[in-house]
Amino acid sequence: MAGRREAPLMRGGGASGQPLSRGSRIAAAVAVGVTLGCVCAFIYPDGLISRSPDSAIHWPRRVDSVACKTPKEVANVKSQLASLERKNAEFRKQIDELSMKLQLAGQGKNQAFYSAGPFGTVKALRTNPTVMPDESINPRLAKILQQVAVKKELIVAVANSNVKETLEMWFTNIKRVGISNYLVVALDDNVEDFCKSKEVPVYRRDPDEGIDSIGKTGGNHAVSALKFRILREFLQLGYSVLLSDIDIMFFQNPFDHLYRDSDIESMSDGHDNMTAYGFNDVFDEPSMGWARYAHTMRIWVYNSGFFFIRPTIPSVELLDRVARRLSCEPKSWDQAVFNEELFFPSHPGYEGLHASKRTMDIYLFMNSKVLFKTVRKDAQLLKLKPVIVHLNYHPDKEQRMKAVIEFYVNGKQNALEHFPDGSE
């Protein structure tokens, strides 16, 4: 077989004898240059021109640097690296915290941004920062709160002379449990004198024509509406308040059962897990044919007679909104307004309240419907000791309150039996 004749490398023609194109010649020159460069790098690893060891531009080779280090030195370097990594992690944490503070300081101003973490690790803010306390708002109340509150928290009830007997049951029960951080806001002189005679912490507000007239003569709903305006000063002074109606019996210290992770923690009017904590309710409209079923999210209202409110900006805004509406809508029910302001979302023409909220455990913070409709008929649930029982569902409050005390305090097993589930 005849051997194939290869074209000389540097000749100007290809295998066919045709001259190489200009592009091919350039490519060949580049290939030759790269080859020569590799050969020189192999033969002269330190370069063609020798450099003084003391030269400012002298860089020792990595292999020489590593080779001269002892195991002790290597361990020391690793320790230093670990220390730097820890400090770096601390710096990152501080940066994240500063970013969070900047975000809070610039709420509504788009002044702060921070990146989201890995999937499944991101968690939004739950607990808003507390307001800056301002004792100049009410120096007299500030002095009382310093003496009464525990860890800047206290139970507050608002009362006038119309409910003196129920009020006495309320604070007698609180004393029995051993709760010391509570305060009665007296709406008239009679209640103030009565509380002082019973050694009950009491605060009589400074004269206020509008509030005083309602406080002295108003019924339950009228008095209940005043609490939103009254509580504002407590929050401005930097105190968290557990607002309590006086038709409530205490059996444990409620401060041992709060989460404190929201602006508002409230007991529910719901009577089971679905109604208290939320459920998917399907609305049926047959005339819509294929689209007849519409899913709705529902929850029974929060009870405005027992809730824990922290001194935050959203909390103060909630009190302002409710108080303003009740002053302009005298026929409105304070509990309905309270829930509307808490839950209605922003929509065209309305900006909703940006407050975090938590529903209290319905078997610890128990309303009277839960007790008389469910708990008293269940042997297992009867073994539970509630934190409070609120007689909000029944008008015969005093009789039922006494029966509840007989059952949970004095152990009278049949104390609740003769009452109907509801009112007659």
Side-chain angles (χ1 to χ4, degrees), residues 11-12 14 39 41 88 100 114 121 129 137 142 146 148 159-160 197 211 231 243 306 317 344 350 379 384 398 410 419:
R11 286 183 58 182
V39 172
N88 191 32
M100 188 74 71
Y114 57 96
T121 65
I137 296 296
Q146 289 172 4
V148 173
N160 63 12
S197 69
I211 290 181
L231 290 181
L243 189 281
F306 191 87
E317 184 182 358
F344 280 178
Y350 176 78
L384 298 175
E398 293 180 3
N410 300 326
F419 292 98

Side-chain angles (χ1 to χ4, degrees), residues 172-291:
T172 299
N173 195 253
I174 284 182
K175 289 181 178 181
R176 181 189 55 77
V177 176
I179 302 170
S180 61
N181 51 329
Y182 70 100
L183 181 70
V184 175
V185 177
L187 297 179
D188 57 50
D189 296 335
N190 196 351
V191 168
E192 180 184 18
D193 295 339
F194 175 66
C195 289
K196 288 181 178 179
S197 69
K198 299 294 183 177
E199 297 183 346
V200 171
V202 63
Y203 164 63
R204 180 75 164 95
R205 300 183 72 257
D206 292 331
D208 185 310
E209 184 177 350
I211 290 181
D212 285 350
S213 61
I214 298 174
K216 292 177 181 179
T217 60
N220 287 345
H221 285 303
V223 171
S224 183
L226 293 178
K227 63 195 176 194
F228 298 98
R229 185 180 296 274
I230 293 172
L231 290 181
R232 193 185 203 277
E233 290 184 345
F234 289 78
L235 301 193
Q236 286 181 281
L237 292 171
Y239 289 83
S240 296
V241 174
L242 183 57
L243 189 281
S244 172
D245 281 354
I246 59 172
D247 58 343
I248 290 176
M249 297 289 95
F250 289 79
F251 302 101
Q252 298 186 62
N253 191 326
F255 295 104
D256 295 336
H257 300 273
L258 297 174
Y259 284 80
R260 299 174 178 84
D261 63 347
S262 305
D263 298 307
I264 305 290
E265 290 183 59
S266 178
M267 72 173 297
S268 171
D269 271 1
H271 60 90
D272 56 23
N273 288 347
M274 286 180 56
T275 55
Y277 309 137
F279 64 102
N280 183 358
D281 185 42
V282 180
F283 176 78
D284 185 10
E285 190 175 6
S287 63
M288 287 298 295
W290 176 82

Side-chain angles (χ1 to χ4, degrees), residues 123-130 153 240 255 257-266 302 308-312 314-315 354-361 365:
K123 195 170 185 179
L125 287 175
R126 297 294 191 276
T127 307
N128 285 299
T130 58
E153 299 176 341
S240 296
F255 295 104
H257 300 273
L258 297 174
Y259 284 80
R260 299 174 178 84
D261 63 347
S262 305
D263 298 307
I264 305 290
E265 290 183 59
S266 178
Y302 281 177
F308 180 71
I309 184 167
R310 296 179 57 253
T312 66
S315 297
H354 299 278
S356 57
K357 42 199 172 286
R358 168 182 282 274
T359 305
M360 291 177 170
D361 187 316
F365 299 90

